Structure formats: C-alpha cells, structure tokens
Amino acid sequence: MTEQRTLAYWQQMAATISIEGRAFIAGDYRHACSAETFDCISPIDGRVLAKVASCDSADADLAVSNARATFDSGIWSRIPPAKRKTVLFRFADLLMQNQHELALLESLDMGKPISDSVDIDIAGAANSIRWTAEAIDKIYDELAQTAEDQIGMVTREAVGVVAAIVPWNFPLLMASWKLGPALATGNSVVLKPSEKSPLTAIRVAQLAIEAGIPGGVLNVVPGYGHTIGKALALHMDVDTLVFTGSTRTAKQLMIYAGESNMKRVWLEAGGKSPNIVFADAPDLRAAASAAASAICFNQGEVCTAGSRLLVEESIREEFVQMVAEEMAHWKPGNPLDPETNVGAVVDQTQLDTVLGFIAAGKEGGADLKVGGEQLHKESGGYYVAPTIFNGVTNQMRIAREEIFGPVLSCIGFDSAEQAIEIANDTDYGLAAAVWSSNLSKAHRTAKALRAGSVWINQYDGGDMTAPFGGFKQSGNGRDKSLHAFDKYTELKATWIAI
Ligand code: NAD
C-alpha cells in the first residue's frame, strides 16, 4: 500500500489509464446522436484528458425511452428487493475493486487530492450504495387504522424513470446518494454528470452491468446543462428529477418541471454555512483547526463549507490568528501527490470566480489576513491560496454569496442572540455549527438555527444514518438515511372492502 501511496505510482497510472468518454445507454457505450464531443480538461495542468460525448435532446429521448421500457418490463423494478440488494452489493464491491482507477479519474477530472478521492469519494460512494441496498428488504408498508369492514393498505411504489443531474465537486459521491435509493427501490435512472467531471459516472455504468444491473436501468448521458440537462428536465416521460447543484439551476429546474409534466423535483442546492464560535468553546485550538478544515477541504468546493466564521468579539483577534496558523497546514499542490490536502479548483471559470470574490472582499473593506492570490500558474492548472478575511460584515458580498473556493469570512458578534440573527440572515439553510461548553447555550443556539444539519463542537460530522439537505434556498427533500426513499417512491392507498 505504501508504494501505491506515492506520487510516482499515481503519475504512472495516469500516464497509462484509458479513458472512456462515450455515453452509456441501454447497456452499451455509444457516441452522442449528434456525434458532437466536448473537451474534458484536467484542472491539474489544463491538458485535455478526453473527448466526451456532448449529449442533447435526441440522447435524452433515447435514454428515457430505454429507461421506461426497462422499468415497464419489470426486469429490475419487479424482482424481489432482496435480489436487488444482492446485485447492488456487487456493484458496491466493484466500486471498491476499482477504487484506484475511479479515484484517479476523479482527481484528474476535477482536481481534488488523490487521498481524498480514494478514502472519501470512492469509499463513500460504495458505502452509500451498500447502506441503502442493505435497507431495502427491511422496510415495511403500512395498514391504516380504519373501520372494521375495510382494509386500507398504504404501499410505496417506485416512481418509474428518474433523471439525476449532479455537480462536479463530489462527482461520484453525489451520484451515489441518488443511485443508491433510486436503484434499490426499483427505478430506472438517467444520470447526467456535470460537464466539468463526467468521467467516473461514465465508467461506473459499465461496472453496474458487470454487477448484474440490467442494461437500460442505469443510463449515463454526459453533456452541458443547457442541452442535455434541460432536455431531461423538460422531458414528458421523466417521473422524478433529482438534483444536486447550485440554487440558480435548482430554481430553473422547478420552472422546467412546471412547463412540462409536473415531474417531482428534489433539490440539493447551495449554502453559506455559519460556523459559530463562542468564547467558552471547549477547545479553541480544535475549533480553529476545524474552521480551517471547513473551508479548505476539497478546495472549499463544498456545499456545506463553513464559509462564514462567526466569532465572539472578546476572542475574535486571538481566534482568527489561530485559524491562520491552522490554515498554514493546508497547502495547495499537485492533486496526485498523496501528501497534498488542497488540490486545484475545477476550471478557469471557477478560478476567475474565486479570484473575483477575493477582489470584492478587498474592495468591500474586509481585512485580508491570509492568502488572496493564485498559485502555481506555471503548472497550467488552477490553484488558489487558502484565504481569510477578518472584519467582515454580513452585508458584504463575500458573506452573502456562495464563493465555492477556499475563502473564509470572519464576522464578530457580542451575544448568542446576535450570532443567531447573523447566522440566519442568509438565503441559504444547509448547515451550521456551534462551539460552546455550555450545553444549554449550544443546544438553544442549534435549535434556533435554520439549517438542515447542525454540528455541535465539531464541523462536518455524520454518516449515512441521518438525512442530509437544506432549509430555505438550499433545497428540499433529503439525501441519505431512510428518508431518501421518499424521493424515489410514490405512496399508494388501496382500500379493500371485507
Ligand atoms: P450547477 O448548478 O452549475 O450544475 C449542476 C448540474 O446541473 C450540472 O450537471 C449542470 O450541467 C446542470 N445544469 C446546469 N444548468 C442546467 C439547466 N439549465 N438545466 C438542467 N441542468 C443544468 O452547479 P455546480 O457548479 O455543478 O455545483 C456546485 C453547486 O452545487 C454549489 O452551489 C454547491 O453548493 C452545490 N452542491 C450542493 C450539495 C447539496 O447536497 N446541497 C452538494 C454538492 C454541491
């Protein structure tokens, strides 16, 4: 394993890896109907990794009609749940057997550190598939408590054809949060990966076949949002649209659903999460370390990034200094080096966005404490120094908009009431954290926060057992846990007269 954890190992593998760029429909790879492709560019060094099928509405029609036919055939939708479970276990096993190849594709494609790709993205995706598969034959339907001469059965049925549109920041992991419950409940899926990170989705479609998932049950259509994404969202034969991505796109998808067949739309969208540190935090050094990690992990390209650090005024200067010291451990470098903990941001556009926000922070009067510049320009890739702004007010652009980069905004507060007010003064409601040794204060604050996940004396804890999703403009519905099944099933009431 040590040999595998070297830069040379991954570079050697990168030099010889064969990359598939075609779409996957009805169990086979195929070019886009138009034969169009787009360049898949690595943010590590700006080189073209592959030509990828640029799917559009013709491919959407083909994929959806195959998904529909497969669903109606019952070859997957009507087999016993325990059989689907066994096949999905094999799928999860295959993800792990191909863990290094998939991890390498993820890092090459979107620039994240290879150690994270191996241990978090691919291992997490396999775990997500396995967790949901394990549950599927242990969930029971209901009988209504009703009149003596009636039986009221409440059953859950697969919705049918699911379109899943996913982002680039955790490409396979976000896809797996959809695929696990969608496939376990018997649906057929058309998966659209981000045009910025299509490679692992394309590859795992083949592994699904190897695992025994019938062709047509999992289709993958790479391409742009405004072409294939829009076509799926407007499609009259898609029953449910599940999405992870920006709030801007999420709103557009609701419009498309309204303009077409009123398909169900479930949205996991953006965030601007507050991380609240009271002066009585049990361990300020641990809180500072977590605050740095909360904005540097995955280059800050995390929906739950702790991008607003709210610090009690009496310790603000001291604490921000500690965060700066902790941030020094987060160093952007070659994503293929297993020691690297901050990789490249996903592309030139994202780099420009992040640098634009840094400029806006300076212009807005925030105090640039650390970072603020582009790094490793000579590599041809896109790297940004982890950045801290102190003295930020919650009205500044850097405190209001999702930056999706390693840029932290520190805001002072004087009381718990003021911290809660600032924390909730945002369009988003995805996550939040509270640090205090006072159990009652921590709990009262957590309760008052309008967010789907709240952490106390930690940042970003949790696993598959709890639902994940947002309040307000961070979305609706939940991924993970048994609650995720709500998105992929319809409730049916059947009344029997006896
Ligand atoms: P994005 O909205 O730009 O794109 C997401 C997906 O939507 C991509 O596949 C894209 O091609 C597609 N898309 C774009 N426009 C479309 C359209 N008009 N019609 C149909 N599809 C369209 O988001 P992104 O930049 O890929 O991802 C970053 C965003 O994702 C951030 O806002 C982040 O907070 C969010 N995110 C949320 C969660 C969560 O669970 N809440 C998790 C990860 C990322």
Side-chain angles (χ1 to χ4, degrees):
M1 199 62 183
T2 41
E3 188 208 342
Q4 295 176 349
R5 297 287 173 140
T6 63
L7 174 59
Y9 168 82
W10 293 108
Q11 282 177 327
Q12 163 70 20
M13 199 171 167
T16 53
I17 194 168
S18 107
I19 298 180
E20 179 59 71
R22 288 173 295 170
F24 195 86
I25 298 177
D28 278 316
Y29 285 115
R30 49 173 295 135
H31 296 290
C33 295
S34 65
E36 293 288 318
T37 59
F38 64 90
D39 287 344
C40 178
I41 293 172
S42 176
I44 296 178
D45 50 15
R47 84 185 157 96
V48 177
L49 289 169
K51 299 269 181 203
V52 173
S54 187
C55 293
D56 61 22
S57 57
D59 304 280
D61 288 343
L62 197 61
V64 171
S65 65
N66 269 289
R68 173 64 61 196
T70 318
F71 181 76
D72 289 347
S73 76
I75 191 173
W76 179 252
S77 56
R78 287 202 291 273
I79 64 173
K83 283 199 175 161
R84 288 200 294 268
K85 177 181 73 176
T86 310
V87 174
L88 289 172
F89 279 179
R90 275 206 297 273
F91 184 37
D93 289 346
L94 282 169
L95 296 185
M96 290 308 283
Q97 283 163 26
N98 294 276
Q99 187 177 18
H100 281 197
E101 181 199 345
L102 292 168
L104 181 61
L105 286 176
E106 213 74 302
S107 286
L108 289 173
D109 204 0
M110 64 71 65
K112 69 170 63 199
I114 189 71
S115 299
D116 290 351
S117 294
V118 172
D119 298 331
I120 297 170
D121 291 75
I122 310 308
N127 181 49
S128 159
I129 301 285
R130 193 174 290 115
W131 193 93
T132 12
E134 265 169 2
I136 197 60
D137 59 349
K138 299 169 192 68
I139 299 170
Y140 294 83
D141 288 327
E142 301 163 22
L143 280 185
Q145 291 298 328
T146 186
E148 273 291 298
D149 62 347
Q150 295 277 343
I151 293 178
M153 293 185 350
V154 183
T155 53
R156 282 190 178 274
E157 295 184 0
V159 290
V161 175
V162 173
I165 299 181
V166 293
W168 48 262
N169 61 336
F170 294 91
L172 190 59
L173 187 60
M174 293 302 99
S176 75
W177 289 4
K178 319 290 188 202
L179 293 181
L183 295 174
T185 45
N187 296 284
S188 292
V189 178
V190 180
L191 172 65
K192 192 208 96 59
S194 168
E195 60 276 20
K196 299 183 186 191
S197 61
L199 300 182
T200 46
I202 293 172
R203 175 69 180 105
V204 301
Q206 179 66 46
L207 297 179
I209 296 288
E210 270 178 62
I213 297 174
V217 171
L218 173 57
N219 306 277
V220 178
V221 284
Y224 294 103
H226 64 273
T227 55
I228 180 68
K230 181 177 177 182
L232 289 171
L234 281 170
H235 206 286
M236 293 301 286
D237 206 23
V238 167
D239 298 297
T240 285
L241 177 60
V242 289
F243 170 79
T244 299
S246 66
T247 294
R248 182 179 38 79
T249 305
K251 290 180 179 184
Q252 190 59 50
L253 297 182
M254 296 175 98
I255 295 171
Y256 292 149
E259 285 173 352
S260 55
N261 63 342
M262 229 175 91
K263 57 183 67 65
R264 284 85 183 96
V265 184
W266 299 101
L267 306 163
E268 299 284 347
K272 193 72 192 175
S273 301
N275 182 12
I276 304 172
V277 182
F278 287 104
D280 64 358
D283 178 345
L284 282 178
R285 180 55 66 175
S289 168
S293 157
I295 196 67
C296 292
F297 169 59
N298 212 45
Q299 306 71 245
E301 297 162 331
V302 183
C303 52
T304 54
S307 50
R308 287 187 301 148
L309 180 62
L310 276 51
V311 188
E312 192 155 359
E313 205 52 67
S314 59
I315 57 157
R316 181 161 61 92
E317 290 302 334
E318 170 203 356
F319 188 74
V320 170
Q321 178 55 35
M322 275 191 213
V323 179
E325 288 160 17
E326 293 299 323
M327 212 177 242
H329 303 306
W330 292 85
K331 291 198 178 73
N334 185 346
L336 296 192
D337 183 341
E339 298 301 317
T340 294
N341 57 6
V342 183
V345 299
V346 74
D347 63 6
Q348 181 72 53
T349 309
Q350 188 62 18
L351 176 69
D352 293 343
T353 302
V354 175
L355 294 175
F357 274 109
I358 291 171
K362 291 182 197 160
E363 281 157 25
D367 169 20
L368 178 65
K369 170 103 184 154
V370 166
E373 71 277 3
Q374 184 181 352
L375 298 174
H376 309 316
K377 266 192 193 170
E378 71 294 346
S379 67
Y382 319 115
Y383 300 83
V384 181
T387 298
I388 303 178
F389 280 107
N390 196 5
V392 176
T393 72
N394 204 44
Q395 304 317 315
M396 291 180 187
R397 256 192 82 202
I398 55 170
R400 300 213 76 77
E401 295 178 37
E402 187 180 39
I403 299 174
F404 230 53
V407 182
L408 182 62
S409 297
C410 302
I411 304 170
F413 67 85
D414 292 310
S415 65
E417 292 68 30
Q418 194 189 11
I420 291 165
E421 191 186 317
I422 296 170
N424 284 338
D425 177 16
T426 170
D427 292 338
Y428 299 105
L430 194 55
V434 183
W435 298 79
S436 170
S437 331
N438 180 325
L439 182 63
S440 301
K441 180 165 71 176
H443 204 64
R444 271 198 310 271
T445 306
K447 233 175 145 179
L449 291 168
R450 303 272 301 148
S453 296
V454 181
W455 298 291
I456 295 179
N457 295 333
Q458 61 172 334
Y459 203 92
D460 214 9
D463 55 25
M464 284 299 294
T465 57
F468 179 86
F471 285 27
K472 302 199 281 184
Q473 293 185 39
S474 289
N476 64 340
R478 295 293 181 266
D479 280 339
K480 308 208 286 187
S481 84
L482 298 184
H483 294 279
F485 289 122
D486 293 348
K487 294 181 176 178
Y488 303 96
T489 50
E490 291 280 17
L491 281 178
K492 178 182 278 182
T494 306
W495 289 97
I496 307 168
I498 52 173

